[in-house]
């Protein structure tokens, strides 16, 4: 695989920033830009700012130190992964070793999508969440 251009997203300064920068120095990514949350004042603004160079074709990878830096919920993560896929881009999360461009990463993303789909598909007659154990008592 050739070197890929990445935008690194760092949610805040401090230890997380230092470990993230050390982590991606050993990767096969050419980090062409960094977006920090304090640059925009909010996490949502920062992630949106990190996506801009991806949308414009300046980079093809969103790089995060922790998967939880990319999204605050599984639903939000799936939406981000869908956006990245539609834009022809990938997500790399150093903490869990996820690279959505790799075969293992594609399987992981497919599994996440399926689990999220299950969460929102309620079978007819199924008791509401939290009442499954009480349904047969």
């Amino acid at each position: 695989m050739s070197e890929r251009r990445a935008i690194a997203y760092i949610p805040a300064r401090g230890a997380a920033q230092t470990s993230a920068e050390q982590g991606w120095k050993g990767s096969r990514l050419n980090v062409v830009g960094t977006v920090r949350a304090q640059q925009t004042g909010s996490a949502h603004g920062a992630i949106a700012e990190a996506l801009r160079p991806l949308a414009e074709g300046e980079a093809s990878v969103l790089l995060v130190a922790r998967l939880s830096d990319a999204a605050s919920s599984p639903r939000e993560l799936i939406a981000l992964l869908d956006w990245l896929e539609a834009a022809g881009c990938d997500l790399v999360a150093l903490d869990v070793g996820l690279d959505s461009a790799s075969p293992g990463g594609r399987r992981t993303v497919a599994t996440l999508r399926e689990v999220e789909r299950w969460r929102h598909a309620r079978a007819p007659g199924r008791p509401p969440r939290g009442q499954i154990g009480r349904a047969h008592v």
Side-chain angles (χ1 to χ4, degrees):
M1 187 180 291
S2 65
E3 183 177 81
R4 298 180 294 163
R5 296 171 56 87
I7 295 298
Y9 169 66
I10 301 171
R13 287 197 176 277
Q17 175 185 353
T18 303
S19 64
E21 289 173 345
Q22 290 171 347
W24 69 60
K25 285 181 182 169
S27 71
R28 290 191 181 125
L29 299 173
N30 176 16
V31 179
V32 296
T34 302
V35 174
R36 291 179 177 81
Q38 64 269 26
Q39 288 177 302
T40 61
S42 75
H44 278 288
I47 199 76
E49 183 65 23
L51 296 179
R52 183 195 54 75
L54 297 170
E56 294 174 358
E58 296 170 19
S60 63
V61 177
L62 176 63
L63 173 63
V64 295
R66 295 181 313 253
L67 187 59
S68 62
D69 294 341
S72 61
S73 69
R75 178 180 279 175
E76 196 174 283
L77 178 61
I78 296 302
L80 174 64
L81 288 164
D82 289 345
W83 185 93
L84 289 167
E85 185 178 299
C89 298
D90 301 302
L91 175 67
V92 171
L94 297 175
D95 65 335
V96 295
L98 174 69
D99 180 347
S100 66
S102 73
R106 287 190 295 274
R107 282 191 302 274
T108 299
V109 168
T111 301
L112 288 169
R113 284 185 173 125
E114 184 65 10
V115 169
E116 186 63 13
R117 187 187 66 76
W118 289 351
R119 284 179 24 92
H120 297 287
R122 181 175 285 152
R126 182 175 175 191
R129 199 185 216 170
Q131 295 183 9
I132 293 174
R134 293 178 256 174
H136 300 288
V137 179

